[in-house]
Amino acid sequence: MAAGYGLQSVRDVLLVPYFDDVIDNEEFTLFYEKNYARGIFPYWKYDKFDLDDWDEEECKVKLRFDKSDLAVLLHALRFPDRFVCSQRAVCSGMEGLCILLKRLPFPCRFTDMVMRFGRYLTELCLIFNHVLDFVYQTHQHLLNSWNQLFLNTPALEQYAQSIHARGAPLQNCFGFVDGTLCKISRPKNNQREVYNGHKRVYALKFQNVVLPNGLIANLNGPYEGQRHDATMLCESGLLRDLQVHGQMMGGRYVCTATQHIL
């Protein structure tokens, strides 16, 4: 129906057969919604966010947290009572947390969130980016600082013992270092720098150190997609940091192993 016409023009033309009783209410609604631009949804049809409407199973599947744990997570992340975006979009701290948790799992688009949050796509995007920036600015030090409780000397000793107990020959290895590749769209500039020839995609790379309990002990990046893992290891200064901070009981220094050993 929309061929050769703008979608707004088609919606305007639909009013003529409707008022002439050529099409009924149901047909008019169907044609009208079919001729919305892709990505535009009648968000006003859906109820606003209310956590009480979410059951335990939905929280666990869509947010990957138990419903009872959301308040604990909200406090741990030090979320404010409400977020106000630069364009004046406002949401509560709990709604911002749920938007963040719903958007992060893959695959998920903002179009998948309209029915559950009753907000326009642009508004959801603004809130998500604002909350994500807040989390990064507030807690980024947990990913690149070695001065953490879970990285103290007794903890490093325990990690090394756990890895050695599983058959590793090293007795001072506390974690595993590996590179992570994140695909990106093709940029207008610097395409060669971000192109990864091994995976044949445009990407950014990160280097992380993972502990045997699943926590990320250290994260460095981003690096250009063309960088080799050995180059990232050198530029990150990880080996230098281990000499400074990675001392175990008895004066021994810790080390890391690559994921390929597993």
Side-chain angles (χ1 to χ4, degrees), residues 177-181 196 198 205-207 223-236 258-260:
V177 60
D178 191 24
T180 299
L181 182 143
N196 184 275
H198 177 62
K205 299 183 72 174
F206 297 84
Q207 176 186 274
Y223 298 94
E224 297 89 344
Q226 68 170 355
R227 295 296 181 93
H228 191 273
D229 288 356
T231 303
M232 291 195 301
L233 179 63
C234 179
E235 294 188 357
S236 68
T258 64
Q259 292 283 18
H260 302 294

Side-chain angles (χ1 to χ4, degrees), residues 127-245:
I127 294 173
F128 170 76
N129 289 331
H130 185 81
V131 175
L132 190 63
D133 287 342
F134 173 84
V135 173
Y136 176 76
Q137 295 295 337
T138 308
H139 303 287
Q140 61 173 312
H141 65 281
L142 297 176
L143 294 175
N144 51 40
S145 173
W146 293 97
N147 186 25
Q148 306 293 340
L149 291 176
F150 57 87
L151 293 175
N152 57 29
T153 299
L156 294 177
E157 187 81 25
Q158 184 178 6
Y159 300 148
Q161 291 175 0
S162 300
I163 294 175
H164 180 65
R166 294 298 298 269
L170 298 174
Q171 298 184 21
N172 63 334
C173 176
F174 78 97
F176 304 92
V177 60
D178 191 24
T180 299
L181 182 143
C182 297
K183 298 178 182 179
I184 62 173
S185 58
R186 184 175 63 182
K188 296 179 63 176
N189 302 315
N190 304 322
Q191 294 185 16
R192 178 172 296 183
E193 286 78 3
V194 298
Y195 183 75
N196 184 275
H198 177 62
K199 300 292 185 179
R200 297 184 179 179
V201 294
Y202 295 95
L204 296 175
K205 299 183 72 174
F206 297 84
Q207 176 186 274
N208 58 79
V209 178
V210 183
L211 301 174
N213 59 7
L215 292 178
I216 295 178
N218 189 260
L219 180 68
N220 276 282
Y223 298 94
E224 297 89 344
Q226 68 170 355
R227 295 296 181 93
H228 191 273
D229 288 356
T231 303
M232 291 195 301
L233 179 63
C234 179
E235 294 188 357
S236 68
L238 175 62
L239 301 180
R240 181 189 65 250
D241 291 340
L242 291 181
Q243 292 179 345
V244 176
H245 304 284

Side-chain angles (χ1 to χ4, degrees), residues 39 41 43 99-100 102-104 107-130 132:
F41 292 86
Y43 63 94
I99 289 175
L100 179 72
K102 179 67 176 70
R103 179 69 176 90
L104 287 178
C108 177
R109 295 182 173 89
F110 290 114
T111 54
D112 304 325
M113 303 168 59
V114 172
M115 291 185 293
R116 213 60 188 91
F117 293 93
R119 289 183 180 269
Y120 185 56
L121 298 177
T122 304
E123 198 174 13
L124 288 170
C125 181
L126 290 172
I127 294 173
F128 170 76
N129 289 331
H130 185 81
L132 190 63

Side-chain angles (χ1 to χ4, degrees), residues 17-54:
Y18 176 71
F19 286 116
D20 290 343
D21 293 329
V22 176
I23 58 177
D24 57 23
N25 291 337
E26 184 176 350
E27 292 173 325
F28 174 78
T29 302
L30 176 64
F31 290 139
Y32 195 87
E33 292 185 356
K34 285 293 184 180
N35 285 280
Y36 262 102
R38 179 176 294 183
I40 299 179
F41 292 86
Y43 63 94
W44 56 86
K45 286 186 174 182
Y46 307 109
D47 295 332
K48 292 294 185 180
F49 170 81
D50 187 354
L51 187 59
D52 293 336
D53 295 336
W54 296 56

